[in-house]
Amino acid sequence: MGVPLIQSYRVGRYILAQKLQGRKRYPLVLMLEPLFRCNLACSGCGKIDYPDETLDRRLSVEECIGAAEECGAPIVSIAGGEPLIHKDMPAVVEGLVERKRFVYLCTNALLLKKRMGDYQPSPYLTFSVHLDGNAHRHDDSVCQPGTYQRATEAIREAVGRGFRVTVNCTLFQGEGADEVAAFLDDCKALGVEGVTISPGFNYERAPQQEVFIQRRASRQLFRDIFRIGKERKSRWKFNQSSLFLDFLAGNQNYQCTPWGNPTRNIFGWQKPCYLLVSEGYAQTFNELMETTPWDKYGVGVNGKCDQCQVHSGFEPTAVNDTFAHPLKALKVALLGPRTAGPMAPDMPVSPPAQGTEHPVFPLHVER
């Protein structure tokens, strides 16, 4: 795995404390979105289709730090939009690092070379660079040629300066196992700490819904990827738990844990997760935890959730399973996910409810 010992220790201690206190629902990662404006127009996103008055809004340094304090999660993933556009982002990161939060600053890396000097290497700071596959795949996904080359150049410089760097990869429809395996080899050659990988998820505001991969196809794809890795003895590093990777390969039957990665953005605390933008917002973290009808979401429960396997929902479930069954997790960590034999029975999908079709917002594609 690609997670440093100090982070594994502190996060493990945090989880153990929650369990000893008898808390059934607790956050693991705060997903902080201090702005929606971005310098890309990705086909699987749609954030920049908000009106300009929304795109001009920012969470202040105080609001960002306050959200972390209010939530209490040991990890803060800062996304957007593009966080490096936010002029106060260095102060946000500095404040979180001072509080010993593990910060993953998610970026498309187009501004990373220019802004890198605003940050100091730290075991608590990681640049999480978004790369959706090889150069062709990535540039096609973000709808702008040349972004892969610029991102990988920035990664090399950041690694050279002593920063923690990971790659965040989302796989979409049409991916091939050999192609993804080659991409993972490239990430290893870049010297990154690890890769966070996840199948594409049906984000409601995405302008192109057809790009998202379905659960059944996703399971087989990941089996094929991990099989190739074993055959080549590739020793890829993933910034994820072994049981989540086993889940991706169809060997675990998990339900999501949406409160594990709560989202705070410019509108408030998003119910129930950052993928479902039409479910409303809470004004405080406690309100989010106490008033969200959690049992109304999940695979087989809500049609909007049926094809989802995203790490923000299922990684917390896998982490809980790791604590409940450490020997099972250790076996997968040592041997890798099983790539042959029957898959775990998937949960039946729920019948589509009237009015739950995914909206399409093609504005930035037209632009």
Side-chain angles (χ1 to χ4, degrees):
M1 294 298 138
V3 180
L5 183 59
I6 183 176
Q7 182 172 327
S8 298
Y9 167 73
R10 289 180 61 86
V11 173
R13 188 178 68 178
Y14 165 83
I15 294 173
L16 184 60
Q18 306 307 307
K19 292 187 177 296
L20 291 175
Q21 295 174 41
R23 293 178 179 170
K24 294 183 178 180
R25 292 175 179 158
Y26 54 87
L28 184 61
V29 179
L30 167 61
M31 301 187 69
L32 185 64
E33 297 179 336
L35 79 169
F36 286 170
R37 189 173 291 282
C38 189
N39 49 1
L40 286 176
C42 304
S43 59
C45 182
K47 285 281 178 69
I48 64 169
D49 285 331
Y50 283 100
D52 283 340
E53 55 266 28
T54 299
L55 295 177
D56 288 339
R57 292 176 61 178
R58 306 284 189 271
L59 291 181
S60 67
V61 175
E62 293 73 21
E63 287 173 316
C64 291
I65 302 298
E69 296 282 10
E70 187 181 358
C71 172
I75 301 172
V76 180
S77 176
I78 306 178
E82 169 52 51
L84 294 184
I85 293 176
H86 197 307
K87 64 181 181 64
D88 293 325
M89 190 50 55
V92 171
V93 170
E94 182 180 4
L96 293 172
V97 168
E98 286 177 353
R99 290 161 175 79
K100 296 191 182 303
R101 299 296 203 275
F102 292 97
V103 178
Y104 283 80
L105 186 55
C106 305
T107 175
N108 56 41
L110 296 183
L111 294 173
L112 185 53
K113 278 190 173 183
K114 181 178 180 181
R115 303 289 168 80
M116 202 178 300
D118 296 336
Y119 304 90
Q120 296 298 320
S122 166
Y124 291 96
L125 171 61
T126 302
F127 290 122
S128 178
V129 179
H130 189 181
L131 287 178
D132 287 338
N134 61 26
H136 168 72
R137 286 282 184 185
H138 178 72
D139 289 356
D140 187 57
S141 173
V142 303
C143 307
Q144 187 174 128
T147 55
Y148 181 89
Q149 180 176 347
R150 292 174 64 183
T152 52
E153 288 174 356
I155 287 174
R156 292 188 185 94
E157 181 169 334
V159 171
R161 291 196 190 185
F163 285 99
R164 292 181 59 188
V165 184
T166 61
V167 165
N168 189 342
C169 175
T170 303
L171 301 183
F172 292 101
Q173 194 70 256
E175 302 276 4
D178 288 317
E179 184 180 9
V180 177
F183 167 73
L184 293 173
D185 288 339
D186 292 341
C187 290
K188 182 179 177 181
L190 284 171
V192 299
E193 185 175 283
V195 177
T196 299
I197 194 166
S198 188
F201 36 85
N202 296 72
Y203 180 60
E204 281 190 317
R205 287 190 64 90
Q208 296 183 29
Q209 293 293 318
E210 70 278 4
V211 302
F212 299 118
I213 192 169
Q214 303 300 295
R215 283 172 68 93
R216 185 178 299 276
S218 171
R219 288 172 146 199
Q220 188 58 55
L221 173 62
F222 277 99
R223 279 202 169 190
D224 293 342
I225 294 168
F226 296 143
R227 174 183 51 78
I228 293 171
K230 288 182 178 181
E231 292 172 351
R232 297 180 181 174
K233 298 181 180 180
S234 298
R235 301 185 183 277
W236 300 317
K237 291 183 178 180
F238 293 98
N239 194 41
Q240 293 159 299
S241 68
S242 62
L243 288 184
F244 176 74
L245 299 176
D246 207 40
F247 161 73
L248 291 180
N251 300 322
Q252 304 294 331
N253 188 4
Y254 289 152
Q255 186 57 276
C256 79
T257 304
W259 57 84
N261 287 26
T263 296
R264 172 67 163 96
N265 61 31
I266 58 177
F267 296 132
W269 293 90
Q270 187 169 331
K271 300 180 180 181
C273 69
Y274 83 99
L275 299 175
L276 302 181
V277 299
S278 59
E279 304 299 303
Y281 296 86
Q283 295 307 304
T284 66
F285 176 71
N286 285 338
E287 180 186 340
L288 172 76
M289 298 297 284
E290 294 172 2
T291 65
T292 302
W294 302 109
D295 57 352
K296 292 185 178 181
Y297 301 98
V299 180
V301 179
N302 190 310
K304 296 180 178 181
C305 307
D306 281 341
Q307 297 302 325
C308 185
Q309 292 181 285
V310 67
H311 58 89
S312 62
F314 291 91
E315 180 71 80
T317 311
V319 170
N320 278 329
D321 195 21
T322 298
F323 271 77
H325 303 96
L327 293 181
K328 178 176 73 170
L330 178 61
K331 180 180 178 181
V332 177
L334 293 175
L335 301 179
R338 182 168 52 84
T339 59
M343 294 186 183
D346 203 359
M347 297 180 182
V349 299
S350 54
Q354 185 176 3
T356 61
E357 297 83 1
H358 293 294
V360 176
F361 297 84
L363 298 180
H364 77 249
V365 176
E366 293 178 358
R367 295 191 190 117

